[in-house]
Amino acid sequence: MTVNPAHTAPWTAPHASGAVDATVHVPGSKSVTNRALVLAALASEPGWVRRPLRSRDTLLMAAALRAMGVGIEEGVGPDGTGETWRVIPAALHGPATIDVGNAGTVMRFLPPVAALADGPVRFDGDPRSYERPLNGVIDALRALGARIDDDGRGALPLTVHGGGALDGGPVSIDASSSSQFVSALLLSAPRFNQGVEVRHIGSTLPSLPHIRMTVDMLRAIGAQVDTPESGGEADVWRVTPGALLGRDLTVEPDLSNAQPFLAAALVTGGKVVIPDWPLRTTQPGDRLREIFTEMGGSCELNERGLEFTGSGAIHGIDVDLSEVGELTPGIAAVAALADSPSTLRGVAHLRLHETDRLAALTKEINELGGDVTETADGLQIRPRPLHGGVFHTYDDHRMATAGAIIGLAVDGVQIENVATTAKTLPDFPDLWTGMLGN
């Protein structure tokens, strides 16, 4: 794990002078936007993605689909309000080169799409992307009839030699390191000749809400999906081949990106309102209502959105985050400021995310005077008085927002490369200072 030396101008995290009282409009969900783009690209007719997130990860996804022949027109929606992208499906083709950046959704969701293209599609990305596992997708696609050159790495860079179609059928995978392996196969499966039957054979399956999100979005555009939740076999998902409909899909606010703002209410004993919080959602970030309430806040979901209020006290927590691992950095930051110890469990897979998040959180919080210990599958956090210093991000957006949370209560915290938040949360520094009234 290395610090990027190119980012030499740390951002001084604002220190809260009192309780926050703000309404924060959180941009759209990256997870929903990128799934919607893939599904619209594979549909049998044009569709729309309304209120998409415009961030590094989503722009990489749009550019990748365009490289394979898909039309994506950016503008206002059919009703003349709000940004909407019109997606025009086309015959997928190579040769193409795709830059995945360090986006898990791009590097994992698009090789199955590339297998449907006519011609070679090369995938490359940031140096860190080479370290992130892709074997679950690569091995599964080979079993389903695809030809892939990866020089045996099970990782980037690689080339998918698309044949214009893919047989599909039954396949067993170990998705213990990422639920995205399952979602990747399900998203393209309606276009496979035999659909797909994905059987997970690993010991654990993290981030199940993200698989449920994939299934719900597939069904919304006409796919037939049989899941464990709908009476199917445990750890088996079946998708029937068939045409996908062009639809007008609206992207929900990114609830995981709402986390630092809700944490601000908790840390400062203030109140934050997040408009348009959905009444029903598969986003993992919805668990924040429960987790942050247990840590000392209270919330109400009403016509204004989600209203979250801090009590002025922060309590430690013992929590299994296996289904909502992406929330771990923000929870760890709040836990470092609590009045009692915390245990965060079920997140060993975070060692394979944008960076090794468990090692990074331990190092950065401890360098500010904290007492964090890694466990086999999580973190033990014993609160201690913290002091200022540089908080490194390792090019990881959630590390940057975790540092900003600590900075609310600890004067002199400087975030190295706060610009990495543009991966999923554009304009974070402005949103953050605006929340504080600065």
Side-chain angles (χ1 to χ4, degrees):
M1 193 173 61
T2 58
V3 176
N4 189 334
H7 307 295
T8 56
W11 177 70
T12 300
H15 185 254
S17 57
V20 301
D21 186 357
T23 296
V24 181
H25 291 268
V26 176
S29 163
K30 174 205 71 174
S31 299
V32 174
T33 299
N34 275 357
R35 283 166 172 79
L37 285 172
V38 171
L39 292 173
L42 295 174
S44 58
E45 55 194 346
W48 290 265
V49 179
R50 187 190 298 274
R51 292 174 61 184
L53 172 67
R54 176 181 285 277
S55 73
R56 187 187 186 212
D57 280 19
T58 61
L59 293 174
L60 285 169
M61 179 67 84
L65 292 168
R66 287 187 180 113
M68 289 188 281
V70 177
I72 301 176
E73 300 173 353
E74 301 177 25
V76 297
D79 62 357
T81 61
E83 182 170 7
T84 298
W85 294 351
R86 186 167 187 254
V87 182
I88 305 162
L92 301 170
H93 63 77
T97 298
I98 288 174
D99 175 12
V100 309
N102 192 18
T105 52
V106 181
M107 70 179 74
R108 291 167 181 150
F109 292 177
L110 288 189
V113 177
L116 299 170
D118 186 6
V121 180
R122 176 173 170 78
F123 290 80
D124 209 335
D126 296 352
R128 170 63 182 173
S129 71
Y130 292 12
E131 302 171 30
R132 301 184 69 181
L134 282 177
N135 53 298
V137 173
I138 293 169
D139 294 347
L141 286 175
R142 284 181 175 140
L144 295 173
R147 186 159 71 90
I148 300 174
D149 291 339
D150 69 334
D151 293 332
R153 286 183 300 269
L156 292 172
L158 59 85
T159 299
V160 179
H161 296 275
L166 195 67
D167 287 341
V171 64
S172 296
I173 66 170
D174 182 350
S176 300
S177 60
S178 177
S179 69
Q180 289 176 349
F181 295 165
V182 175
S183 286
L185 297 170
L186 300 184
L187 287 167
S188 293
R191 290 280 301 271
F192 298 168
N193 294 338
Q194 303 172 43
V196 80
E197 178 188 283
V198 180
R199 184 178 299 272
H200 169 58
I201 56 172
S203 56
T204 61
L205 184 57
S207 304
L208 269 171
H210 278 126
I211 298 178
R212 297 185 191 114
M213 177 188 294
T214 299
V215 170
D216 281 3
M217 294 183 68
L218 276 162
R219 288 174 174 159
I221 62 170
Q224 295 184 38
V225 189
D226 178 42
T227 71
E229 293 87 357
S230 60
E233 295 178 60
D235 289 340
V236 177
W237 293 261
R238 294 185 180 88
V239 180
T240 303
L244 297 175
L245 306 173
R247 287 283 170 86
D248 186 345
L249 296 171
T250 299
V251 177
E252 299 171 350
D254 193 315
L255 306 188
S256 295
N257 277 340
Q259 181 181 37
F261 305 102
L262 300 180
L266 192 55
V267 169
T268 68
K271 181 173 74 174
V272 169
V273 177
I274 308 292
D276 302 317
W277 194 284
L279 294 174
R280 178 190 171 275
T281 181
T282 51
Q283 288 193 60
D286 198 42
R287 271 278 305 280
L288 288 167
R289 292 190 291 155
E290 168 198 336
I291 293 168
F292 277 173
T293 295
E294 188 175 339
M295 295 186 81
S298 61
C299 65
E300 180 186 356
L301 194 53
N302 55 34
E303 67 281 353
R304 294 183 64 197
L306 181 69
E307 222 171 274
F308 188 84
T309 306
S311 63
I314 307 171
H315 309 310
I317 192 170
D318 185 332
V319 61
D320 184 341
L321 299 175
S322 57
E323 292 201 351
V324 294
E326 66 193 48
L327 304 180
T328 303
I331 293 169
V334 173
L337 304 170
D339 58 15
S340 57
S342 293
T343 301
L344 312 184
R345 293 178 284 107
V347 287
H349 61 285
L350 294 191
R351 295 186 169 99
L352 301 170
H353 275 221
E354 280 80 347
T355 188
D356 178 341
R357 285 179 171 164
L358 299 184
L361 287 164
T362 300
K363 180 176 182 294
E364 297 309 314
I365 294 174
N366 286 351
E367 288 196 353
L368 299 182
D371 184 4
V372 181
T373 306
E374 277 191 69
T375 64
D377 73 338
L379 299 172
Q380 294 271 4
I381 302 171
R382 292 161 292 276
R384 288 171 51 176
L386 302 181
H387 55 72
V390 176
F391 193 94
H392 297 100
T393 65
Y394 310 92
D395 296 326
D396 185 335
H397 55 131
R398 300 209 191 278
M399 286 296 296
T401 53
I405 291 168
I406 293 173
L408 290 172
V410 180
D411 207 2
V413 175
Q414 295 190 306
I415 312 298
E416 169 267 336
N417 188 20
V418 74
T420 195
T421 53
K423 176 181 170 68
T424 63
L425 188 52
D427 306 319
F428 169 73
D430 289 343
L431 284 170
W432 196 245
T433 54
M435 171 193 70
L436 294 168
N438 294 352

